[in-house]
Amino acid sequence: MTRDIDWTLLHATAVEAMGKAYAPYSDFPVGVAALVDDGRIISGCNVENASYGVGLCAECSLVSALIMSGGGKLVAFACVDGKGDRLMPCGRCRQLLYEHSAEGMLLDTVSGIKTIDEVLPDAFGPRQLEEYAAPPAP
Ligand code: THU
C-alpha cells in the first residue's frame, strides 16, 4: 500500500471518539478511528446497555458510520482505551473489520503495525460464501 497514513491523526481521532463513549457499566470507554479508501476518516465509540450483552463495541459504531457515510473499504485503523493507550479489537470486532477491509488493511496494534490478515488469520469472509454458491467447474 503506497498511501501515507497519518497515524497521529488517526490516534487523535480515536481518542476524541473515546470521549463520547457511553460505558457506564464497564467504565471502560473505547474509541476507534479508520481511514477509508476514498480518504475520509471515520470514528466510533462503544455504546453500552443496561442489558449488558447487547452493548455495542466501538467497532460496531465505526462500521455503522462507514456505511452511513457512503461505504468504502477500511485502509487503516486505530483503537484506544480510556487512557488513550492502544487497544486490540476483540475477536468479534476483528471479524467486523475484516468484512470491510481493503486488501492489506493496517492496524495500529499493541505490538506494532499489523495487517488484518495477521490479526485474523485464515479469516472467514464473503469469499467463502461466494465460492460455496458458485457452480462447480465443468
Ligand atoms: N470494547 C470495544 O468497544 N471494542 C473492543 O474491541 C473491545 C471491547 C468495549 C465493549 C465494552 O463496552 C467495553 O469495551 C468493556 O468490554
Side-chain angles (χ1 to χ4, degrees):
M1 196 158 308
T2 53
R3 185 199 295 273
D4 285 335
I5 294 161
D6 187 344
W7 289 110
T8 305
L9 175 62
L10 272 189
H11 187 269
T13 306
V15 170
E16 188 185 355
M18 179 272 292
K20 298 177 181 167
Y22 177 72
Y25 305 108
S26 70
D27 266 332
F28 192 86
V30 178
V32 294
L35 172 66
V36 185
D37 60 356
D38 65 359
R40 73 191 196 277
I41 293 201
I42 55 170
S43 61
C45 64
N46 53 337
V47 182
E48 297 185 345
N49 193 281
S51 178
Y52 299 160
V54 303
L56 304 174
C57 278
E59 291 84 345
C60 300
S61 165
L62 179 123
V63 166
S64 296
L66 172 71
I67 300 304
M68 286 298 291
S69 63
K73 294 291 180 188
L74 303 173
V75 170
F77 171 85
C79 179
V80 298
D81 66 16
K83 296 175 180 166
D85 292 336
R86 288 180 184 83
L87 184 71
M88 291 307 291
C90 73
R92 176 178 184 273
C93 289
R94 295 179 201 197
Q95 182 71 29
L96 281 183
L97 295 170
Y98 179 78
E99 177 84 15
H100 302 283
S101 59
E103 185 82 31
M105 173 193 168
L106 298 173
L107 297 89
D108 186 12
T109 82
V110 292
S111 47
I113 304 296
K114 297 222 162 152
T115 67
I116 186 72
D117 296 315
E118 287 174 308
V119 302
L120 192 68
D122 300 323
F124 174 84
R127 190 176 307 131
Q128 279 66 40
L129 296 178
E130 283 160 22
E131 283 171 9
Y132 182 78

